[in-house]
Amino acid sequence: MPELDSSYPIGLFDSGVGGLTVMQEIMRVLPHESLVYFGDTARVPYGNKSRETIIRYSIENAIFLLEKQVKLLVVACNTASAFALPKLRKIFNIPIIGVVEPGAEKAVSVTRNQRIAVLGTKGTIQSRAYQTEIQRLLPHAHIFSQACPLFVPLVEERFLDHPATRLLVKEYLSGLHQQEIDTVLLGCTHYPLLKPLIQQELGAHIHLVDSATTCAEKIASILETQKLQSRASSPSHAYYVSDDPDKFKELGEKLFGQALPHVELLNHEKFTPFIYH
Ligand code: DGL
């Protein structure tokens, strides 16, 4: 492992703006940590791309963040976590945490009847990463998976309480009513923003869980074990994107109701092309 310093920032990447759900939670749980966020807005969405492409993008994103001297890497995108985490851990020698393991842990901790539904992008569902992780933790769990590919564009249109979104929530979740599930894992960065509609559709007795809080708690515990916690009284946060910083800032601020500082465009010349095989 390279020499890591507690003053280094935590790096996190997502395909775009959705990973800010995870970033917000990290800021809340770890208020002394500096963060560097990278949103790959030039290549979003990841949810319907192939495993190979997602692995390639993830490696490139990780290289960019490692050049920023991060002490821990968070893969805040569910699709990237589902497809690329093992490869990233093989290549890079710093602590790397995704959102699949924390999300699965959370779902397993709240279910009472071991009947869990997982919602995600096409890629996340096809990868079976959540299913595999839940079954590893709870071998007798019954898992029902549903890809909801139209949720991401609806959230990005800010159709959070729109008739079109209600219709699609009904359509995607229609198969779950008969399954006696008690827990639904929102396995995509954007889905927590649809919590109210999903809860209305499935009923108040269903637990809706996502990865963000458990992910932030896991990071806290890794930093503590490795003695890498920052004590900075005024940590600094930096935001980078691969396309259109103004659009990212506007959408991020509208979706999360929080002002974002300056967002920088990634310097492509410094974004070293990488040979993977
Ligand atoms: N960030 C992605 C995820 O959590 C959703 C958006 C996309 O498809 O790129 O899977």
Side-chain angles (χ1 to χ4, degrees), residues 14-19 43-48 76-80 99 120-121 124 152 156 187-191:
D14 177 46
S15 54
V17 81
R43 305 189 288 195
V44 69
Y46 280 14
N48 48 19
C77 174
N78 290 257
T79 311
V99 282
T121 64
T124 298
V152 167
E156 299 216 344
C188 173
T189 46
H190 290 58
Y191 299 0

